[in-house]
Amino acid sequence: HMRIAIATPNRHVLGGAEQYLRALLPELLAQGHALAVLFEATSEPAAGLIDDATPGVPTCQASGDSPAEAVRWLRTWGPDIVYCHGCHSPRVEEALLGAFPCALFAHGYYGTCATGEKSHRWPSSCTCARRMGLACLVLNYARGCGLRDPRVRVGRYLLQQARGRLLGRYRAVIAGSLHMRAELERHGCPPAQVHAVPLPNTALTTGGSAPEPRAFTARVLF
């Protein structure tokens, strides 16, 4: 059994990453692991907390301005590994990497795209196949990648660039698809370091009865 610290940007459930963690925490506890949660931000608790189903799990809030305090708290708790899910602040991430063995789940285009969308909109919508670099600052406008405000564009680029520099320091990087694994490898992650682990469907429910037969329409919903 291990002592696993979960590091996440948000404690409140805002999207898929938090849904994943809310489903994961009870499963890890059921397997006998000890857990702690380190988070950066709180927001409106409309959708609940990632640790709703795991009362008693210790939590600590980390600040991008002074991550050392959270690191000291985590040292006292004594994790065997920190399971990171993409910090808002690279300073928090760097502090964790400097103090503990860490693994990362790259929920999006982490360190591999300045806009996070990995797509162009001109002359037509298509997936971007480039490796992130300085040309992205120009192509964002030339190909319509999505960021119009130059301050936001530069800030987002520098953030992803900082994340990209940290990728190689993780003991393991986990991707939710083969596409994301290939993208991370293309941006410098050693193949032996990157693992594709498909996300579980945490909202799947079973109907009480089979649907009524319907006539064939040749329509497909994806």
Side-chain angles (χ1 to χ4, degrees):
H1 295 160
M2 299 179 66
R3 295 176 66 80
I4 304 171
I6 305 293
T8 176
N10 305 300
R11 188 181 180 190
H12 288 105
V13 178
L14 301 179
E18 294 82 28
Q19 290 279 7
Y20 165 75
L21 288 173
R22 183 158 63 176
L24 178 69
L25 265 59
E27 296 295 331
L28 291 175
L29 284 178
Q31 293 182 25
H33 302 297
L35 299 180
V37 172
L38 188 77
F39 63 93
E40 291 178 275
T42 57
S43 57
E44 292 301 321
L49 305 172
I50 63 171
D51 52 314
D52 273 343
T54 53
V57 169
T59 63
C60 178
Q61 186 166 8
S63 166
D65 295 327
S66 54
E69 185 175 344
V71 169
R72 282 194 294 270
W73 178 87
L74 207 52
R75 281 189 190 278
T76 301
W77 187 78
D80 295 313
I81 192 166
V82 178
Y83 187 21
C84 297
H85 293 267
C87 296
H88 290 309
S89 169
R91 291 186 63 188
V92 172
E93 193 174 353
E94 191 163 14
L96 293 173
L97 283 164
F100 311 103
C102 295
L104 170 72
F105 197 119
H107 287 276
Y109 288 104
Y110 189 89
T112 64
C113 177
T115 67
E117 296 185 13
K118 208 68 183 179
S119 62
H120 303 304
R121 294 184 176 86
W122 190 89
S124 60
S125 294
C126 63
T127 301
C128 173
R130 293 184 57 85
R131 179 170 174 167
M132 186 179 134
L134 286 173
C136 297
L137 295 172
V138 176
L139 289 171
N140 174 71
Y141 288 115
R143 299 293 306 273
C145 297
L147 296 177
R148 308 309 301 170
D149 188 324
R151 294 167 299 179
V152 174
R153 174 175 54 114
V154 173
R156 198 77 60 83
Y157 177 84
L158 293 175
L159 171 63
Q160 295 294 0
Q161 187 183 56
R163 287 174 168 172
R165 285 195 295 265
L166 297 175
L167 278 173
R169 295 177 58 185
Y170 281 97
R171 302 289 182 92
V173 180
I174 302 168
S177 68
L178 295 176
H179 164 76
M180 274 308 307
R181 184 177 72 180
E183 191 68 24
L184 289 162
E185 289 177 0
R186 197 156 61 90
H187 282 76
C189 283
Q193 178 191 6
V194 188
H195 310 272
V197 181
L199 288 164
N201 188 337
T202 60
L204 186 65
T205 57
T206 303
S209 59
E212 293 294 326
R214 294 188 301 172
F216 180 70
T217 63
R219 293 180 180 177
V220 176
L221 173 65
F222 174 72

